[in-house]
Amino acid sequence: VAPGAFGQERIQLSDGSQLTVFMVRPAQSSSEPSPLLILMGGGPGNASISRDTSIWLGSGFAERGWMVAVPVSPNNRAFRGYENNLKVADLANVLQQREDIAEGRVMLAGISNGGMSALEVARRNPDAYMGVVAVPALATSAYDNRALKGFPVYLRIGGEDELGWEDRFDDTVAALTEAGVELDAAILDSAPHMFRMNWESLDPWLEKTKESRGM
């Protein structure tokens, strides 16, 4: 498959179920296996949203050397909830059996409902993951996030979020900080709920996180 190629796959999980996954290969070919990033779309996480997410955001991660997997929610609930959280963890294990995907910790990323899915997945087994890119997400309590003590989270919320999420930014930051999360958080001036990625700030965070918690 050519570098930078985009494709849709049906991937068998260990519980016998299948997930539709949009895969975006790293833009540059390499003899080394690529680190895996699982990216979850917003809203219900359906096929249309996941496909669009893989193109406009997944391709940005692929340009930076990541193998990107964007799974489609099996029940239109993004990847929220216990059973869906387990499917993401299982997907990571299955994909890492491929020769072109590196073993070790996986990066999680998500938009809106997908961002909160990513935080849920990470809370269940923080040692399996490098970090979470939540663009955006909300968090409610320090108690819920106590498993993420010392865990890297990159959080951005638009300053003109049409869902009003910027009004909950301070509470979200307080909950994550009190839990001991290693947090890089900011409001993006004038940005809507879904915004262009600020790679100037995300790139150094990705590199630092990969070095400190990666392979």
Side-chain angles (χ1 to χ4, degrees):
V1 182
F6 162 91
Q8 178 179 339
E9 299 183 31
R10 294 280 290 171
I11 295 179
Q12 178 107 7
L13 301 181
S14 64
D15 65 1
S17 67
Q18 289 189 329
L19 272 186
T20 297
V21 182
F22 294 98
M23 300 291 299
V24 191
R25 299 185 63 82
Q28 303 295 324
S29 59
S30 172
S31 58
E32 296 294 316
S34 302
L36 177 62
L37 183 144
I38 296 181
L39 170 61
M40 288 159 273
N46 60 25
S48 174
I49 287 169
S50 298
R51 182 180 187 280
D52 289 349
T53 300
S54 66
I55 294 169
W56 74 266
L57 183 54
S59 59
F61 286 112
E63 287 171 9
R64 288 154 174 83
W66 299 88
M67 180 73 75
V68 182
V70 186
V72 176
S73 174
N75 56 9
N76 286 327
R77 290 194 58 232
F79 281 89
R80 310 286 297 277
Y82 178 72
E83 289 186 4
N84 280 359
N85 288 177
L86 291 185
K87 287 183 184 296
V88 175
D90 197 6
L91 174 64
N93 289 333
V94 170
L95 289 175
Q96 286 186 312
Q97 293 171 25
R98 299 183 177 185
E99 289 184 358
D100 57 349
I101 297 179
E103 297 179 343
R105 288 175 169 149
V106 174
M107 184 69 78
L108 297 171
I111 301 162
S112 189
N113 240 352
M116 290 190 280
S117 298
L119 289 171
E120 283 186 21
V121 172
R123 286 197 293 260
R124 296 199 184 279
N125 186 11
D127 287 343
Y129 305 103
M130 289 188 213
V132 165
V133 179
V135 286
L138 298 173
T140 52
S141 79
Y143 182 80
D144 287 347
N145 289 285
R146 65 197 186 282
L148 297 180
K149 183 177 182 180
F151 186 86
V153 173
Y154 178 95
L155 171 71
R156 294 295 184 271
I157 293 177
E160 294 187 7
D161 187 306
E162 53 271 41
L163 302 182
W165 283 24
E166 76 277 9
D167 295 333
R168 300 171 66 184
F169 176 79
D170 288 345
D171 288 345
T172 294
V173 168
L176 294 172
T177 303
E178 187 181 336
V181 170
E182 187 182 303
L183 184 64
D184 181 330
I187 287 182
L188 299 180
D189 289 344
S190 303
H193 186 67
M194 292 179 64
F195 43 78
R196 284 183 175 277
M197 209 47 50
N198 181 353
W199 293 105
E200 290 79 8
S201 69
L202 181 52
D203 278 337
W205 183 90
L206 287 169
E207 284 306 310
K208 180 182 75 171
T209 303
K210 192 160 64 169
E211 287 173 13
S212 65
R213 286 179 60 85
M215 312 309 159

